[in-house]
Amino acid sequence: MKIIMLGAPGAGKGTQAKKIADNYGIPHISTGDIFRANIKNGTELGRKAKEYMDQGLLVPDELVVDLVVDRVQKDDCAKGYVLDGFPRTIPQAEALDAALTTLGTAVDYAIDVDVPDENIVRRMSGRRACVSCGATYHIEHIPPVQEGICDRCGSTLILRDDDKPETVTRRLEVYHAQTQPLIDYYSGKGILRAVDGTKDMEAVFHEITSILGA
Ligand code: ADP
Ligand code: ADP
Ligand code: ZN
């Protein structure tokens, strides 16, 4: 099963993508996590990506497309995968489709996690992310067992630099201008499914499993 997660920054794509990955036994591929790992490891890609990420802008398509197209051809993707944070522009979506067509396959579902803008800033300011494993929490809605500590790996939780309100506003503008058109793109292909992302985490996941099947 090949799944794409769509939705505004902070809509809950990552949260749901991790649950889908666990439930269906397929890898969760987050381009944001890949960039953050590269930044942490001081790679050339990380250095380039950071310039854009810090400003709330998208990293240029040419820095992300090949990376994802290579990743989805790894052995662990044979049964499918859930893409989180990619594609984010029409050219990225077209490049993915072209690559998958060459491989004789296609995306099965694009799941749009729908959350209005007014909920987003609050969600993002409460988001805490693990410095080691990328797990995310919310200080009110999805708190860790012990404040400031990751349930999964025991590392420290932080507020991401780009989750500060001024950058979130920019990211939302970028989302509407560059990413939201993908809703029509996948709708036109007949594979778009929308879920109400304002519900609680388990209720959203329930909507998703009823789309994907058990
Ligand atoms: P969120 O889901 O909270 O918006 P992500 O972790 O998916 O955040 O992405 C963080 C940042 O990484 C984005 O704001 C953008 O700068 C960059 N990024 C991630 N994926 C892509 C992509 N597919 N294309 C361009 N930039 C990306
Ligand atoms: P995205 O990957 O779309 O940027 P995340 O999955 O990181 O979004 O979620 C953004 C924030 O909202 C996190 O703090 C997360 O714990 C929280 N969150 C995710 N889903 C829900 C939900 N259904 N209700 C309330 N908070 C949520
Ligand atoms: Zn962790």
Side-chain angles (χ1 to χ4, degrees):
M1 194 151 42
K2 301 178 188 69
I3 302 161
I4 286 172
M5 303 302 292
L6 295 177
K13 300 181 298 296
T15 300
Q16 297 300 330
K18 289 188 185 82
K19 291 174 76 69
I20 294 169
D22 288 347
N23 197 60
Y24 296 94
I26 53 177
H28 166 216
I29 303 173
S30 157
T31 45
D33 286 352
I34 293 171
F35 288 136
R36 282 184 289 277
N38 273 274
I39 292 171
K40 200 169 152 196
N41 295 329
T43 70
E44 178 67 10
L45 175 65
R47 193 187 56 73
K48 286 187 188 153
K50 188 175 187 325
E51 279 178 42
Y52 299 92
M53 291 169 75
D54 282 349
Q55 298 178 65
L57 300 174
L58 294 183
V59 171
D61 292 340
E62 55 273 25
L63 292 182
V64 66
V65 168
D66 291 351
L67 185 127
V68 174
V69 169
D70 287 347
R71 178 67 188 87
V72 300
Q73 294 182 65
K74 301 270 192 251
D75 290 346
D76 65 334
C77 291
K79 274 175 48 194
Y81 42 82
V82 49
L83 288 179
D84 163 19
F86 182 94
R88 256 187 161 94
T89 64
I90 295 278
Q92 289 180 17
E94 288 171 346
L96 178 67
D97 278 345
L100 293 182
T101 303
T102 309
L103 297 167
T105 177
V107 174
D108 297 302
Y109 293 105
I111 297 177
D112 177 35
V113 184
D114 188 23
V115 174
D117 284 10
E118 47 277 22
N119 301 20
I120 294 288
V121 178
R122 197 156 13 104
R123 279 228 184 150
M124 302 292 249
S125 56
R127 170 155 67 181
R128 296 294 179 274
C130 174
V131 291
S132 306
C133 77
T136 48
Y137 302 86
H138 191 283
I139 51 176
E140 286 164 50
H141 308 301
I142 307 171
V145 176
Q146 206 187 330
E147 195 183 321
I149 305 291
C150 179
D151 291 352
R152 279 173 43 182
C153 76
S155 297
T156 313
L157 303 179
I158 56 153
L159 174 67
R160 272 166 46 182
D161 274 347
D162 62 345
D163 280 351
K164 302 201 168 117
E166 21 341 329
T167 317
V168 170
T169 308
R170 169 67 75 78
R171 286 163 66 200
L172 272 174
E173 287 165 13
V174 167
Y175 167 75
H176 289 299
Q178 290 179 269
T179 307
Q180 205 174 23
L182 293 178
I183 293 177
D184 285 342
Y185 179 89
Y186 288 111
S187 175
K189 293 187 177 288
I191 60 169
L192 184 81
R193 301 288 183 276
V195 296
D196 179 357
T198 64
K199 293 184 183 170
D200 71 44
M201 174 175 76
E202 293 301 339
V204 178
F205 188 58
H206 183 77
E207 275 196 45
I208 292 176
T209 53
S210 51
I211 291 165
L212 302 178

